[in-house]
Amino acid sequence: MNWDRRAFIKFALGAVAGLHVSPLVPKLMDDVSIWTQNWSWVPVSEKGEVRSKTSINPRTLTGVKVKVLNSRVSGKRIIGLSGDSSFSLGNGGLLASDASVPQKFYYENMKVTTPVIRKKGVRGQVSADEALEVVIDRLRDLKQSGKSSRVAFFADYNCQSIVNELLVRFVSMYGTGHLIFMPSAERMLELVGESMFGRKSLGFDLENSQYIISFGTPFLEGYGSPVNMRKIFVDWKNVGATFVQIEPRASITASQADIWLPCKPGKEGVLAYAMANLIVQEGKASSFVKKAKDFDSFRKFLSENYDLDKVSYEADVPVDEIKKVARGFMESSKAVAVCGPGNSSDPGTLFNFMAVLTLNAVKGNLGEPGGLVVREKFSWENSDRANLDLSFGNGTISAKEKKEIRNNFNMYAFAKEVLEDRIKIDTIVLVDCNPVYSGPRTKMMEKLLKKVPFVVSVSECMDETSKLADVVLPKASFLECWGDAVTPYASARSFYSVHKPLIRESLQVKSTGDWIIGLFDGICDLEKDSSLSFRSVEEALSLRISNMGDDFEKSLKREIWLQKNASYDEFDIKTGTGKVNLLLDVLYKKYSRMSDVENLIDRDSRVVMMGIPSLRTGSVNVPMSPYQLKILDETTLAFKDRLIVEVNPSTVYELGFENGEMVRIISAVGEIRASLHFSNGVRPGVIFVPIGLGHTAFGLYLKNKGVNFFDVVDVYTDCVTGLPEWELTPVNIVKMGEVNDHV
Amino acid sequence: MSSDSVSTNSRYGMVIDLDKCTGCGACSVACMSENNIGVLPDETDKIRSITWLRVYQIDNGLPYPQTRIAFIPRPCQHCAGSKGHHTPCVSVCPATATDRDGQTGIVSQVPTRCIGCRYCVAACPYHARYFNWFDVSWPEGMDRPLNPFVSARMRGVVEKCTFCFHRYQQAKNKSFVNDSSEILEGDYQTACAEACPSRAIVFGDLNNINHEVFKLKKNPNVFRLLERLNTDTAVYYMSKKKWIRRKADNYLPNEKDGD
């Protein structure tokens, strides 16, 4: 064929026509589009039968429905959680941290699934039995050589829980006085309640109250059972209750309040006493306080020190506002004043607790609906925690084993003593707590764990504390073990619930209680009488439920939760005198001391630092999930994981700072780096730092996201109670010479 | 508001009470868990971060101590379009990867049809559409809790809130099995509405007089976002606070506030 111009054109036209008719082009395009959308690393989740099972998250006290998928190849797995509307706390919703439980449960860089032992600086995995044996050998050797007191136990304070009871019994049997609890508002309320009224289990009857004053309590940022708090909050709106929030920042709670009294930081208690003063001076004080033996001195003290004009100046709240709130509180038939915990994830201060409980006593709402009530006890609860004859029938410990337990609630004072060699400690056992991250003086706690020769951590996560431990005993999630959930902080009603195993992912994890029972078994051969009558947490719970007069099996079938109603019987004062103790002697002491703290804070070039609690970042005890990280906006965590702190423009204009300026925030114990965010909602002179960020553990998705607020938080010991307080930290802000846009 | 009349077709939608919303983020995380939304190593890069339901924080702009804050949860608004206007994203999609279902009023998104042109992302006035710039990796056990009823997406496609359409299909199957012609209100609830601990999000059929949203959308404090665009959205908001309504409705300072 002659390849001339005509032939070429014919060929070209034929090719064009052919391509149009041929299925080749669309077929290839189709294949390409399918190929580009079928990457092998896009997972295809296997289907199967889904069953919904009820449970309770003991950390958040949310009743949940757990979706368990049973598939043919990959077996059982959890694919989601939703709220349980039949649950008594809340109205069926859940929290961000509940919704991300499955993600945290399967995220391998977070969950510990096998015991870990560190030998010569190298960590290795071992079986549960081997790990337990190592710990038992260590504890047994120390006990046999008469060095029991060289062992310290650190734990969360959760006094009604089965773990707490087992731990107290174990420590008593073992014979060390160093059982140290993480600081808690619950303990503070117990102490002040006992001192003032001779009653420990106090609760604020928020559900039935019509006039509520919160003295700095972050109701909507994670108080008690957060889902239940939201139900109460919506009910307040529906019934038209008046809700007053007193705090220095336009927080979520303050913005949702009917009245917000923006006060100087740390002045909430002063305002409470001022309101009490107004009520007393107007002759409307209740018979509870009028009967108190030092009432006249108390009245005089209030009028001298808590005069409204003086307090108005001191707290920077107008007199009219204080009067309006105090009178509204006094005139309402169902009113309550609430305190603790603090915004800096602190237990609150003794002064605030005293002031608020005094205000309630002056109002006379003790034992009244919507007031301050005493929670009913479950039958197994004992009034004296040092007396260990608790609920276990055969397991009662004999008198000779009742060692004096020093329920030490100040681990920072303890750490300092150990670091200064005033106390000799060879072993620390940390039970489900992470003091290297979740409290003040993190560097000091890290130093402590590095100094002590043998550290054991019972933990669900490979967190900052567990990374320093010689032995990590993996704690089972609530999805895979027996356990209980107990009354939230300052609840008016007692609450108890049990969760049971729904799935088994690893054979090497155990509930905290089962680890303690394992230690008991390994060591109690030295103390024959002290053996337990049960072999597992399940049996212990069964005994406890039986002691409550309930059948365990039947209870479980109806998805057990037990709750007693708020008690409105007469509020018996059980102090030595049978009258309310207004704690005047303590007040004299605290009043003089407050001035010292203020002097420290008001020094030139210093500002005060407080925390920003949030359900988005989660609580310090529950690390956030990768999903929770996604819901943080640019005013919390900015581009490239920069921590953002809130500050009023007027605080830093004079110093020449700009919005987005990178600064060093320096306190007496450390420093952090962050970007400034100018916010009108915060009080001038105060810098607010988000809590819950800056973990140095948990892998690519969670490590080094922001900075830990607690790295810069200082702590001081209350001179009256000996408890740690860290509501406010004086800091300096220093420019780094870099400005970044973050919004 | 064009959706006030009772229609034989369903129109699923929400009424979100902003006075009850406390910005806890439970709705957002429940949505992620339900719809297999991926996580990137750097989630602070908000151009690439995917959040079908984003909760925005607003404030009233006043100085201390008059400042107040509030939150606006923003899922896909499932626009119907009114007065001659179309659903913005549907009308620009060249691949029919997104479409509005006349029976439910839900604007769908089919990732396998999407060619990644991102016209819909540009057209959406609510920033409710997200583009997968990268393949999401599911390492370290994070693929275990994936919901098998929703496909994980690949890079190069757009995704958005579907009002948990798979739940609608499950509810439809249930009503079929039960020999019922109607899907019950409780049988079809989105993950976010189910999760909200304040019960601020109420979901249901806006055209069904038995559903709570039918009554709620007639509340005088109800408004929709950017109503002037005639997008006729299926997500209503409610607040007694004037400053929230003004700010959320995007009225300019010199405009009337619509009261």
Side-chain angles (χ1 to χ4, degrees):
Chain A
M1 182 182 146
N2 191 15
W3 190 248
D4 55 9
R5 182 171 170 273
R6 177 178 289 268
F8 175 75
I9 290 171
K10 275 160 78 180
F11 173 77
L13 287 175
V16 170
L19 278 175
H20 275 84
V21 176
S22 160
L24 186 68
V25 173
K27 177 63 187 154
L28 282 176
M29 284 187 69
D30 187 41
D31 283 354
V32 167
S33 67
I34 288 170
W35 178 70
T36 56
Q37 296 183 2
N38 274 299
W39 300 103
S40 57
W41 51 85
V42 176
V44 178
S45 182
E46 191 189 359
K47 288 190 178 173
E49 186 192 11
V50 180
R51 291 206 171 172
S52 186
K53 298 183 177 182
T54 53
S55 186
I56 178 169
N57 185 345
R59 286 287 197 189
T60 58
L61 294 175
T62 307
V64 290
K65 284 184 178 169
V66 183
K67 288 179 202 163
V68 184
L69 182 135
N70 196 355
S71 52
R72 202 165 54 83
V73 178
S74 51
K76 269 189 182 180
R77 58 196 172 91
I78 308 280
I79 59 164
L81 261 67
S82 58
D84 181 2
S85 54
S86 67
F87 194 64
S88 66
L89 296 181
N91 51 15
L94 41 57
L95 305 177
S97 61
D98 297 316
S100 49
V101 160
Q103 188 181 46
K104 288 192 277 187
F105 184 65
Y106 289 112
Y107 181 30
E108 287 167 11
N109 273 333
M110 197 165 203
K111 197 167 185 314
V112 195
T113 51
T114 313
V116 175
I117 288 187
R118 189 170 55 186
K119 279 182 187 165
K120 293 175 186 170
V122 180
R123 282 201 302 233
Q125 295 184 334
V126 293
S127 72
D129 290 342
E130 283 174 282
L132 196 59
E133 200 53 47
V134 169
V135 179
I136 287 169
D137 285 349
R138 175 81 181 183
L139 295 182
R140 187 190 279 142
D141 288 350
L142 285 168
K143 188 167 173 61
Q144 281 173 339
S145 55
K147 293 177 180 169
S148 296
S149 62
R150 290 193 176 188
V151 179
F153 290 82
F154 286 12
D156 250 351
Y157 187 59
N158 209 347
C159 61
Q160 289 175 316
S161 73
I162 197 86
V163 168
N164 209 95
E165 186 166 339
L166 286 166
L167 186 64
V168 169
R169 293 183 62 154
F170 176 75
V171 171
S172 169
M173 180 276 287
Y174 187 73
T176 175
H178 304 305
L179 173 57
I180 295 149
F181 290 109
M182 296 288 278
S184 77
E186 192 181 352
R187 179 64 185 156
M188 188 73 89
L189 189 62
E190 278 181 3
L191 268 177
V192 181
E194 200 165 23
S195 310
M196 288 184 71
F197 311 118
R199 308 301 295 263
K200 259 185 173 177
S201 311
L202 294 180
F204 305 110
D205 190 14
L206 301 174
E207 282 153 320
N208 300 302
S209 197
Q210 293 286 321
Y211 200 101
I212 308 96
I213 313 179
S214 151
F215 289 85
T217 297
F219 274 138
L220 297 175
E221 286 88 354
Y223 171 87
S225 159
V227 287
N228 196 42
M229 192 57 234
R230 272 153 180 75
K231 179 176 183 282
I232 293 169
F233 159 71
V234 171
D235 288 346
W236 286 346
K237 283 192 179 289
N238 292 338
V239 301
T242 305
F243 166 41
V244 183
Q245 177 72 4
I246 303 176
E247 67 166 301
R249 178 175 171 267
S251 63
I252 301 168
T253 309
S255 296
Q256 291 282 6
D258 299 293
I259 301 169
W260 171 37
L261 297 188
C263 66
K264 275 190 186 170
K267 294 297 175 190
E268 292 86 354
V270 176
L271 283 166
Y273 273 126
M275 290 178 194
N277 181 30
L278 184 77
I279 296 169
V280 169
Q281 303 309 329
E282 290 185 353
K284 292 175 183 166
S286 72
S287 56
F288 284 106
V289 290
K290 278 182 180 168
K291 283 183 203 161
K293 75 174 170 97
D294 45 3
F295 177 65
D296 290 333
S297 315
F298 175 70
R299 184 168 56 187
K300 189 164 169 266
F301 183 83
L302 285 187
S303 69
E304 282 171 5
N305 296 294
Y306 297 99
D307 170 68
L308 284 193
D309 290 324
K310 194 176 162 188
V311 168
S312 168
Y313 175 77
E314 194 180 338
D316 195 19
V317 177
V319 173
D320 291 346
E321 292 285 309
I322 304 174
K323 277 185 182 168
K324 189 174 99 182
V325 170
R327 289 197 174 123
F329 179 72
M330 190 57 228
E331 283 157 17
S332 172
S333 58
K334 294 177 175 179
V336 69
V338 183
C339 54
N343 274 298
S344 299
S345 200
D346 58 305
T349 63
L350 172 71
F351 183 76
N352 271 7
F353 275 71
M354 278 167 48
V356 171
L357 295 195
T358 302
L359 180 59
N360 283 309
V362 167
K363 155 78 182 162
N365 63 6
L366 311 183
E368 298 288 326
L372 183 68
V373 296
V374 176
R375 217 168 29 239
E376 276 185 39
K377 284 181 177 169
F378 288 115
S379 51
W380 44 265
E381 277 190 272
N382 196 294
S383 58
D384 182 3
R385 267 178 239 303
N387 175 6
L388 299 171
D389 296 331
L390 299 178
S391 65
F392 293 105
N394 296 339
T396 303
I397 296 172
S398 64
K400 74 167 186 175
E401 292 152 347
K402 285 180 188 170
K403 309 288 181 190
E404 186 190 342
I405 291 186
R406 193 171 127 212
N407 281 353
N408 193 328
F409 285 86
N410 193 342
M411 62 168 55
Y412 312 104
F414 175 80
K416 205 174 163 202
E417 286 190 45
V418 175
L419 287 169
E420 290 171 0
D421 290 324
R422 287 204 293 273
I423 298 176
K424 180 84 181 156
I425 293 294
D426 286 336
T427 297
I428 290 181
V429 182
L430 298 119
V431 181
D432 202 14
C433 58
N434 182 14
V436 177
Y437 174 84
S438 66
R441 303 299 302 269
T442 49
K443 299 290 175 227
M444 183 175 76
M445 299 313 291
E446 188 178 337
K447 214 169 152 188
L448 171 75
L449 296 189
K450 283 180 177 166
K451 176 180 171 136
V452 172
F454 192 73
V455 176
V456 181
S457 172
V458 182
S459 175
E460 195 176 333
C461 304
M462 188 49 91
D463 52 28
E464 289 80 357
T465 298
S466 298
K467 280 165 81 177
L468 295 173
D470 298 284
V471 180
V472 182
L473 302 178
K475 179 199 161 195
S477 153
F478 72 95
L479 298 170
E480 50 188 350
C481 71
W482 288 96
D484 56 4
V486 297
T487 315
Y489 165 72
S491 169
R493 293 187 285 168
S494 298
F495 170 82
Y496 194 75
S497 181
V498 170
H499 60 79
K500 54 190 172 185
L502 304 176
I503 195 163
R504 187 83 190 183
E505 282 288 319
S506 166
L507 295 173
Q508 306 299 327
V509 299
K510 292 182 186 184
S511 72
T512 311
D514 283 325
W515 283 118
I516 298 170
I517 290 171
L519 292 178
F520 239 115
D521 288 345
I523 295 171
C524 74
D525 56 331
L526 303 171
E527 304 281 344
K528 295 291 181 199
D529 303 338
S530 66
S531 57
L532 299 173
S533 62
F534 45 81
R535 309 260 44 87
S536 65
V537 168
E538 183 185 357
E539 285 179 33
L541 286 171
S542 173
L543 266 169
R544 185 176 258 201
I545 302 290
S546 309
N547 284 357
M548 292 162 92
D550 219 328
D551 183 80
F552 188 56
E553 294 301 323
K554 282 184 187 168
S555 299
L556 288 176
K557 275 182 192 157
R558 64 162 195 267
E559 310 299 350
I560 174 172
W561 57 263
L562 306 163
Q563 188 163 19
K564 294 196 172 183
N565 290 327
S567 172
Y568 301 131
D569 297 338
E570 198 163 326
F571 194 102
D572 290 335
I573 308 291
K574 292 187 177 173
T575 52
T577 58
K579 292 170 185 171
V580 172
N581 183 354
L582 295 166
L583 301 177
L584 259 185
D585 48 338
V586 180
L587 199 52
Y588 290 139
K589 227 182 236 181
K590 290 297 287 185
Y591 189 79
S592 58
R593 204 176 142 273
M594 285 297 284
S595 315
D596 298 339
V597 176
E598 275 162 32
N599 285 339
L600 180 70
I601 288 165
D602 288 344
R603 217 177 279 164
D604 285 345
S605 81
R606 278 181 183 273
V607 291
V608 181
M609 184 186 72
M610 291 180 77
I612 305 175
S614 167
L615 285 172
R616 293 197 189 193
T617 50
S619 74
V620 289
N621 294 326
V622 187
M624 64 192 302
S625 66
Y627 276 154
Q628 280 173 275
L629 205 68
K630 285 170 76 80
I631 60 172
L632 301 182
D633 64 17
E634 299 90 332
T635 56
T636 304
L637 192 68
F639 188 51
K640 297 290 178 198
D641 301 327
R642 258 181 308 129
L643 180 74
I644 302 296
V645 296
E646 290 182 15
V647 66
N648 193 294
S650 67
T651 309
V652 286
Y653 270 154
E654 287 174 16
L655 300 168
F657 289 108
E658 290 180 49
N659 197 14
E661 181 107 39
M662 283 294 292
V663 292
R664 292 160 63 205
I665 301 166
I666 306 166
S667 76
V669 296
E671 81 168 63
I672 55 173
R673 292 168 186 216
S675 270
L676 295 179
H677 171 65
F678 286 2
S679 166
N680 285 327
V682 305
R683 187 176 180 83
V686 190
I687 189 162
F688 287 88
V689 181
I691 301 175
L693 295 167
H695 275 285
T696 53
F698 310 140
L700 180 68
Y701 294 91
L702 291 172
K703 192 177 174 182
N704 296 329
K705 305 292 181 187
V707 185
N708 184 8
F709 162 72
F710 288 109
D711 284 351
V712 76
V713 174
D714 200 358
V715 63
Y716 51 93
T717 300
D718 179 76
C719 62
V720 180
T721 59
L723 295 181
E725 293 180 359
W726 65 86
E727 186 188 23
L728 310 171
T729 302
V731 292
N732 276 325
I733 309 175
V734 178
K735 252 185 182 187
M736 288 174 65
E738 186 187 334
V739 180
N740 294 302
D741 289 337
H742 60 278
V743 182
Chain B
M1 293 177 192
S2 63
S3 311
D4 281 358
S5 57
V6 179
S7 156
T8 49
N9 275 347
S10 295
R11 185 169 189 214
Y12 285 97
M14 288 176 177
V15 178
I16 304 177
D17 188 340
L18 301 182
D19 296 341
K20 286 183 184 171
C21 177
T22 59
C24 68
C27 51
S28 207
V29 173
C31 166
M32 292 173 199
S33 175
E34 179 75 17
N35 293 294
N36 298 339
I37 294 176
V39 181
L40 298 171
D42 182 9
E43 281 292 343
T44 58
D45 185 352
K46 294 299 178 195
I47 292 171
R48 282 151 176 72
S49 174
I50 293 176
T51 316
W52 287 10
L53 195 165
R54 189 166 176 193
V55 183
Y56 291 92
Q57 181 177 322
I58 56 169
D59 65 60
N60 61 3
L62 295 175
Y64 188 87
Q66 284 90 40
T67 321
R68 299 288 184 281
I69 60 166
F71 298 92
I72 303 179
R74 191 248 38 221
C76 168
Q77 306 287 304
H78 295 269
C79 311
S82 64
K83 298 179 186 169
H85 293 261
H86 303 287
T87 307
C89 52
V90 171
S91 57
V92 298
C93 180
T96 329
T98 182
D99 198 11
R100 185 173 178 276
D101 177 18
Q103 272 196 330
T104 58
I106 294 174
V107 176
S108 63
Q109 178 66 27
V110 186
T112 44
R113 280 191 201 161
C114 180
I115 57 170
C117 68
R118 287 172 283 139
Y119 287 169
C120 57
V121 177
C124 176
Y126 301 102
H127 293 238
R129 293 181 156 270
Y130 294 89
F131 183 65
N132 282 278
W133 291 94
F134 301 105
D135 264 316
V136 174
S137 55
W138 301 92
E140 300 154 342
M142 284 164 77
D143 58 339
R144 290 276 287 157
L146 286 179
N147 183 356
F149 306 106
V150 179
S151 306
R153 278 75 57 188
M154 67 297 290
R155 79 166 178 232
V157 300
V158 169
E159 61 183 73
K160 68 155 196 92
C161 157
T162 59
F163 272 170
C164 294
F165 194 73
H166 57 286
R167 290 190 175 202
Y168 170 76
Q169 288 165 322
Q170 286 163 353
K172 205 172 166 186
N173 287 344
K174 187 179 172 185
S175 69
F176 178 75
V177 170
N178 293 337
D179 233 2
S180 164
S181 57
E182 193 185 359
I183 293 175
L184 299 177
E185 191 178 11
D187 284 347
Y188 174 36
Q189 286 294 312
T190 56
C192 54
E194 196 178 75
C196 179
S198 304
R199 289 285 166 257
I201 304 177
V202 181
F203 180 80
D205 182 358
L206 297 163
N207 292 343
N208 189 329
I209 54 169
N210 298 320
H211 285 208
E212 199 182 345
V213 285
F214 184 84
K215 292 157 209 144
L216 285 175
K217 73 173 183 177
K218 294 183 173 175
N219 187 301
N221 293 318
V222 152
F223 61 91
R224 292 185 284 185
L225 297 180
L226 302 178
E227 240 168 312
R228 287 164 297 158
L229 297 180
N230 296 311
T231 41
D232 188 16
T233 62
V235 180
Y236 292 75
Y237 294 89
M238 193 160 77
S239 176
K240 287 180 186 165
K241 295 172 187 165
K242 193 173 168 183
W243 74 266
I244 294 180
R245 295 202 301 272
R246 279 182 68 94
K247 206 141 195 181
D249 216 2
N250 210 20
Y251 281 91
L252 298 172
N254 59 352
E255 282 185 306
K256 286 185 180 175
D257 59 16
D259 274 355

